[in-house]
Amino acid sequence: MKHPVLLAALLLAPGLRLSAQDEMGQAWTTRLEHKIDYTGVGDFGAKGYGEQQLSYAASDKEMTVFENATGKTVWTKPFKELSPNLRKIDELIPFWESATVFLFDRKMGKDQVACIDLKTGAALWTTDKYQNLSEDNVIYIKEKDLFAISTKEALTMINARTGEEMWNTKVFTGSVGKYIVDGNDMVCVNFVGPGLAALFSGFKNQIARIDLTNGNVKWQASYIGRAERKVVTRKFIYDLKLDQGKVYLMLSGIQVYDYATGAQQWAAAFDFTPDGVASAPAHAIAFGVYGAVADPVTVGNDLYVLDCQNRRKQFIKKYDRLTGKLLWTSPEIPDAKAIPSMYVEGDRVLLQIGGRVETQAHLHWTETTSTGTETHDVRQVKYVDVKPYGIKAFNTSDGAMAWESERFKKGITNGIVADHKLYVCSGKALYGMDCADGKELYEVLLKDDNISDPSVILPFQDKIAVVGEKGVSTHDQSDGKLVHSGKYKAADLYDFHDNIVLVQTDNSDIAAFDLNTCAFKQFNARKGATSALTNDGQFVYVFEKKDVTKLRTH
């Protein structure tokens, strides 16, 4: 897809540039022959690549694939050379596990689709048969090397390398979302992505088991909720699991189906719309709020679910995971607009009340300036702080409230639970608390960290890493004492791996903190540049105009 501009939340006005820290070392820089509108870093061991990891950058007229290790160009071609029916693309979707990329040229009812081999640049197949395709109605079934293409007419399964149609069915409508492959069968959940509602008129929620050899739908059932993807990052907001002859759908609570027949065995699900948590910004054509309700927690055969019937009626419910028997319902949790996290430790269920909730928006607008008409297309990820804040604990035995803390009236981060202790920050301090009774083991003010207010905490070895609005620090987990601290300018957490924490400003500058010392290396990028941290945390790729730069984080 076209790479979004991520406007992270909790970003304040940019401060002074700090010159005392080292710049990130360059592994290589490659200047392309075209501008960069689409980017992708292949850090996942795609099929057919062997040890040669590849990435790509493309404009709307041509594309370059390069080696991750050296930056050397593997191939660069205009799209009209890849396929004579392509001139200017409107969308690009990589399928890393199949080592292919889909190119789309919209032509008023005669959309051209080309499937390209990422390694060689060869066109595997092209077609104009499938109209109104997007990243929401094409999915790669890696277990069988197939593409599932959902159109208004049918769900069609095609051979990934040849484009040959294997079968189609009209029984399953909408797009294929998350799926499970078991032998020759696939269990999948349908959904309708942004902009596809008109395409799938008469849509109904379906979970189905389909024979991948012939398209026979062995069973279908309905589900509660909206099985959707996040607006910008496209991550599915639900999960699907197969265990001991049961299909578990974690969406709006939990829904359980018999794998053999599709009969719903039990459900603890609810329709939840996070009204009042956040409002869509101006010019938003798509907007979503995520993480306002904690995911279910399983401990053995015990299942704990937040039942958020509406903003005024919220409870914890404990079920027997195998039978669906309701074991208890907690007292009502009043006035909680958001409950982002739930933890079970020992004989306590802990709830984080309030805190950071993710929002994603796709903005599109046109304005007239002195130089003409300008069209803006922006995708943004932000975090909003939702009040009130607090910690509440309930008994695992009967659901009665065990204790609550009043320490978090001015702010709260996510928590970390380990060894019967809860570690969490308020707006100004780090706390270690006993999960059993809420007793404070320590309270350490964060003023000496010099990183402004905390946003997120992360576990690191025997320490707690605090990502603040202006830097990163670490504290000893046992007593909360400050170990290391590094101050940066206003930025937000962008990514992390092992000991590397990557933060980014709203001007696209990045800094990679080493949690062993909290020293950081920085890179001042052009505004609008995009970055990608490798899976091992050793490197960052930065895409700017026509340049691709690989930087060392150490």
Side-chain angles (χ1 to χ4, degrees):
M1 69 177 185
K2 199 158 190 174
H3 199 96
V5 178
L6 297 181
L7 304 181
L10 298 177
L11 295 180
L12 307 181
L16 296 175
R17 292 183 180 271
L18 304 180
S19 58
Q21 290 293 329
D22 293 335
E23 297 293 319
M24 291 186 190
Q26 291 189 12
W28 50 258
T29 296
T30 298
R31 167 150 288 201
L32 307 182
E33 299 174 7
H34 53 80
K35 66 177 183 176
I36 300 174
D37 293 318
Y38 305 84
T39 65
V41 176
D43 199 35
F44 308 101
K47 177 182 176 182
Y49 285 12
E51 296 301 316
Q52 184 189 34
Q53 292 286 324
L54 304 177
S55 297
Y56 72 84
S59 69
D60 56 5
K61 293 183 178 180
E62 53 192 315
M63 180 174 182
T64 298
V65 169
F66 56 88
E67 293 180 358
N68 289 5
T70 65
K72 178 182 177 182
T73 296
V74 176
W75 59 267
T76 183
K77 296 179 181 180
F79 293 127
K80 64 182 180 181
E81 182 179 324
L82 293 172
S83 173
N85 293 326
L86 294 177
R87 289 296 182 269
K88 181 180 179 181
I89 67 164
D90 299 291
E91 191 168 6
L92 180 157
I93 307 174
F95 295 94
W96 293 107
E97 291 174 312
S98 69
T100 61
V101 60
F102 270 33
L103 306 176
F104 298 87
D105 185 1
R106 315 289 186 196
K107 291 185 176 180
M108 298 295 291
K110 280 294 182 182
D111 294 354
Q112 299 293 322
V113 181
C115 181
I116 308 299
D117 187 295
L118 269 172
K119 186 175 180 181
T120 65
L124 298 175
W125 50 269
T126 60
T127 184
D128 61 3
K129 183 175 182 178
Y130 310 109
Q131 300 299 299
N132 301 304
L133 295 187
S134 72
E135 63 180 325
D136 278 332
N137 50 347
V138 181
I139 190 168
Y140 178 62
I141 311 297
K142 63 181 179 180
E143 293 84 354
K144 299 295 182 180
D145 200 23
L146 299 171
F147 283 116
I149 294 181
S150 302
T151 62
K152 181 179 181 180
E153 291 75 25
L155 167 65
T156 302
M157 203 68 66
I158 65 176
N159 184 295
R161 306 304 290 181
T162 67
E164 176 190 2
E165 286 194 6
M166 310 304 292
W167 51 261
N168 63 62
T169 178
K170 296 182 179 180
V171 177
F172 186 88
T173 61
S175 301
V176 173
K178 275 205 165 184
Y179 68 88
I180 298 170
V181 170
D182 178 49
N184 287 323
D185 287 355
M186 173 178 72
V187 177
C188 57
V189 174
N190 70 346
F191 78 105
V192 174
L196 294 179
L199 180 66
F200 297 120
S201 58
F203 173 85
K204 61 179 181 180
N205 290 352
Q206 286 178 290
I207 178 171
R209 179 179 174 183
I210 303 174
D211 188 328
L212 287 174
T213 62
N214 56 25
N216 178 43
V217 177
K218 293 186 173 181
W219 56 256
Q220 59 173 312
S222 61
Y223 65 86
I224 296 172
R226 294 184 61 188
E228 57 186 346
R229 281 176 157 178
K230 293 184 178 181
V231 168
V232 175
T233 60
R234 312 308 298 144
K235 181 179 179 181
F236 284 107
I237 63 168
Y238 65 94
D239 204 1
L240 192 64
K241 294 181 180 179
L242 175 61
D243 183 36
Q244 298 184 47
K246 296 179 175 63
V247 178
Y248 293 86
L249 172 61
M250 276 67 73
L251 169 67
S252 299
I254 190 166
Q255 301 163 69
V256 183
Y257 303 84
D258 182 84
Y259 177 63
T261 67
Q264 187 176 86
Q265 296 192 331
W266 64 275
F270 49 87
D271 281 310
F272 174 76
T273 302
D275 295 326
V277 174
S279 300
H283 311 299
I285 59 176
F287 177 72
V289 178
Y290 312 106
V293 177
D295 293 332
V297 176
T298 300
V299 180
N301 289 329
D302 295 332
L303 179 70
Y304 301 86
V305 179
L306 270 177
D307 185 346
C308 296
Q309 299 173 17
N310 55 54
R311 288 176 58 189
R312 296 185 178 276
K313 291 187 178 293
Q314 301 177 77
F315 312 87
I316 306 172
K317 291 186 175 181
K318 180 180 179 179
Y319 294 86
D320 183 301
R321 182 175 69 91
L322 299 180
T323 66
K325 180 181 178 181
L326 177 62
L327 302 178
W328 54 250
T329 299
S330 75
E332 184 176 338
I333 306 160
D335 304 322
K337 293 183 179 179
I339 306 176
S341 297
M342 176 167 59
Y343 316 92
V344 178
E345 181 72 5
D347 56 2
R348 295 290 183 265
V349 183
L350 309 172
L351 295 184
Q352 173 196 331
I353 310 297
R356 281 166 48 112
V357 172
E358 182 182 34
T359 68
Q360 296 191 9
H362 181 186
L363 315 180
H364 188 87
W365 74 98
T366 301
E367 63 180 351
T368 301
T369 67
S370 58
T371 58
T373 301
E374 293 184 5
T375 299
H376 303 271
D377 194 81
V378 177
R379 291 170 170 85
Q380 65 182 22
V381 177
K382 288 188 175 182
Y383 294 85
V384 295
D385 252 347
V386 180
K387 298 179 180 179
Y389 310 117
I391 298 286
K392 294 182 184 290
F394 300 81
N395 298 333
T396 58
S397 58
D398 58 9
M401 192 160 125
W403 57 267
E404 63 180 320
S405 175
E406 300 293 332
R407 287 292 197 178
F408 301 95
K409 292 183 177 180
K410 294 185 177 181
I412 193 170
T413 66
N414 62 300
I416 296 171
V417 174
D419 299 325
H420 305 296
K421 299 177 182 63
L422 170 67
Y423 306 94
V424 60
C425 285
S426 66
K428 302 295 181 183
L430 169 66
Y431 291 90
M433 308 173 72
D434 190 296
C435 291
D437 56 13
K439 179 182 178 182
E440 293 173 13
L441 306 175
Y442 57 77
E443 174 192 8
V444 176
L445 296 177
L446 300 175
K447 182 178 180 181
D448 292 341
D449 296 35
N450 200 26
I451 60 171
S452 193
D453 291 344
S455 300
V456 179
I457 63 173
L458 304 168
F460 176 65
Q461 298 174 359
D462 58 350
K463 303 175 185 65
I464 302 295
V466 181
V467 181
E469 293 173 347
K470 292 186 177 181
V472 176
S473 63
T474 54
H475 289 254
D476 190 290
Q477 186 171 293
S478 63
D479 57 16
K481 288 183 180 179
L482 177 64
V483 180
H484 296 292
S485 180
K487 183 181 180 181
Y488 187 55
K489 49 194 171 184
D492 198 24
L493 177 66
Y494 189 81
D495 205 349
F496 64 92
H497 178 84
D498 194 16
N499 64 308
I500 297 297
V501 169
L502 187 69
V503 299
Q504 185 178 51
T505 74
D506 58 353
N507 283 329
S508 304
D509 296 339
I510 57 175
F513 284 81
D514 184 342
L515 293 181
N516 290 302
T517 62
C518 285
F520 65 85
K521 294 182 181 293
Q522 62 183 347
F523 181 79
N524 294 332
R526 292 185 178 94
K527 187 173 183 178
T530 58
S531 303
L533 182 69
T534 59
N535 281 355
D536 60 7
Q538 298 295 308
F539 299 95
V540 178
Y541 293 89
V542 178
F543 298 85
E544 305 173 289
K545 292 189 175 179
K546 292 186 175 183
D547 294 334
V548 184
T549 303
K550 184 178 183 180
L551 303 165
R552 299 183 182 90
T553 58
H554 290 278

